[in-house]
Amino acid sequence: MAKFVVMLRVKDGMFFAEEWLACFEKIADEIVVLDNGSTDGTYEKLKSHPKVVDIIQTEGYNEGRDKNLLYQRVRLRKPDWCLWIDIDEIFEPELTRAHFDELMNSKVFTKFAFRRFHFMDREHFAGSLYRLNYSAGHDRIMWRENPSGYFQNLIIDSPNVKGIKGLKYNTNFRLKHLGYINKELVDKKADIYRQIIPEKEDIFQSMYLKGERPIKWIDERHHVKTVMLNQVLNMLQMTHIIPKVIRKIKSAF
């Protein structure tokens, strides 16, 4: 069976730690953590969990530095597959390790992508066209480990692994992004970003999900409304793919 290692970079994530561990202890073989200076008990909570096999600490906000440092530690665990995830993101509850084993047994694909839904509270996610377009894009990736993999050395916004060659498959696995449901945590995150890129104030304000249409979340993966939502997102995704294909064709001539 493939060895699946989950990597987590976190600071002051105690608000989500319990349910995050409950999700990933069922999916991952091992969890490797980088704590960026937590003061709320997050470090102690994660360190005490049996699936957390390594935990390191850094100071000062530097996303690219931390992710590459964490990736070095993950590689010492000899993983077959890796997943980068945040502590405010959990998979829908019906997914089991068997679902991930099926993906990891693939002889064709080296990357699998998952959709994220931005929650407004515990029961509703943001349903504007802008947010649904975002969810359609599959912006979290699990990958077959390869020495060519790396993260961009950017202080902020170094989201997904780079350098992993091969084919990617966009799954219908759904992630709940709960990070926007707590205003205090959103304020803290916005303040950190504001110090680094103050010119992006409009982006920080969008984190508060103002004026969004709430859509009721359904945990059942095969519920008719869940299936219909996936179909809508698949159609929205085509509006992303077609322009990319056209640009590649034009660049070839």
Side-chain angles (χ1 to χ4, degrees):
M1 187 170 68
K3 183 176 182 179
F4 183 26
V5 178
V6 170
M7 49 200 303
L8 170 69
R9 173 180 177 268
V10 63
K11 179 174 182 177
D12 291 338
M14 197 64 180
F15 185 80
F16 307 106
E18 194 74 39
E19 59 192 314
W20 190 92
L21 288 168
C23 171
F24 287 97
E25 68 185 4
K26 298 183 296 184
I27 296 172
D29 292 304
E30 297 179 349
I31 299 169
V32 180
V33 176
L34 185 146
D35 184 278
N36 186 224
S38 292
T39 58
D40 67 345
T42 299
Y43 175 84
E44 293 77 13
K45 176 74 174 179
L46 295 174
K47 187 177 181 180
S48 67
H49 195 279
K51 283 288 181 79
V52 177
V53 296
D54 191 9
I55 183 167
I56 56 178
Q57 293 178 292
T58 58
E59 295 180 359
Y61 193 96
N62 190 318
E63 192 174 334
R65 175 203 65 188
D66 286 356
K67 287 187 174 181
N68 282 299
L69 177 59
L70 181 55
Y71 200 2
Q72 291 173 20
R73 300 296 281 258
V74 167
R75 282 175 161 145
L76 296 177
R77 308 303 305 181
K78 306 295 184 184
D80 296 306
W81 288 81
C82 301
L83 171 68
W84 171 268
I85 206 77
D86 288 333
I87 201 166
D88 58 2
E89 298 167 355
I90 56 175
F91 279 105
E92 53 189 319
E94 287 189 357
L95 291 176
T96 66
R97 174 57 188 255
H99 289 97
F100 289 86
D101 281 335
E102 186 176 352
L103 299 183
M104 293 186 289
N105 287 334
S106 173
K107 304 297 183 183
V108 177
F109 299 101
T110 61
K111 292 167 284 188
F112 291 96
F114 314 114
R115 284 180 166 137
R116 281 198 308 163
F117 294 80
H118 299 308
F119 274 64
M120 304 176 67
D121 53 45
R122 295 276 177 185
E123 298 182 355
H124 301 86
F125 62 93
S128 67
L129 181 58
Y130 171 77
R131 299 292 174 182
L132 291 178
N133 259 305
Y134 190 98
S135 295
H138 290 89
D139 73 334
R140 280 291 180 262
I141 296 175
M142 177 179 80
W143 68 94
R144 187 188 299 276
E145 169 53 1
N146 190 292
S148 63
Y150 68 95
F151 286 90
Q152 290 176 287
N153 190 24
L154 302 172
I155 294 177
I156 193 169
D157 197 20
S158 176
N160 285 318
V161 68
K162 305 293 182 182
I164 303 297
K165 298 179 181 179
L167 298 176
K168 181 180 77 170
Y169 182 80
N170 292 328
T171 74
N172 64 356
F173 291 13
R174 299 178 297 166
L175 277 164
K176 299 180 178 182
H177 177 213
L178 303 174
Y180 296 154
I181 68 175
N182 184 303
K183 184 179 182 299
E184 181 181 354
L185 293 177
V186 174
D187 287 341
K188 288 182 178 180
K189 185 181 292 187
D191 285 342
I192 291 172
Y193 292 168
R194 194 173 282 116
Q195 294 174 35
I196 301 169
I197 47 173
E199 69 277 7
K200 300 290 185 179
E201 184 63 33
D202 57 328
I203 294 178
F204 312 146
Q205 292 302 318
S206 73
M207 294 162 59
Y208 294 94
L209 303 182
K210 298 173 183 176
E212 286 286 342
R213 174 195 173 195
I215 298 181
K216 178 77 171 179
W217 176 266
I218 299 173
D219 275 333
E220 298 172 62
R221 288 174 46 74
H222 300 295
H223 191 284
V224 62
K225 289 185 178 180
T226 305
V227 174
M228 290 175 61
L229 175 61
N230 276 326
Q231 292 301 321
V232 169
L233 295 178
N234 288 339
M235 289 187 289
L236 284 174
Q237 188 177 34
M238 292 303 297
T239 66
H240 304 171
I241 294 174
I242 293 173
K244 290 181 181 179
V245 172
I246 293 174
R247 285 196 296 270
K248 285 186 177 181
I249 293 173
K250 287 183 177 179
S251 65
F253 292 95

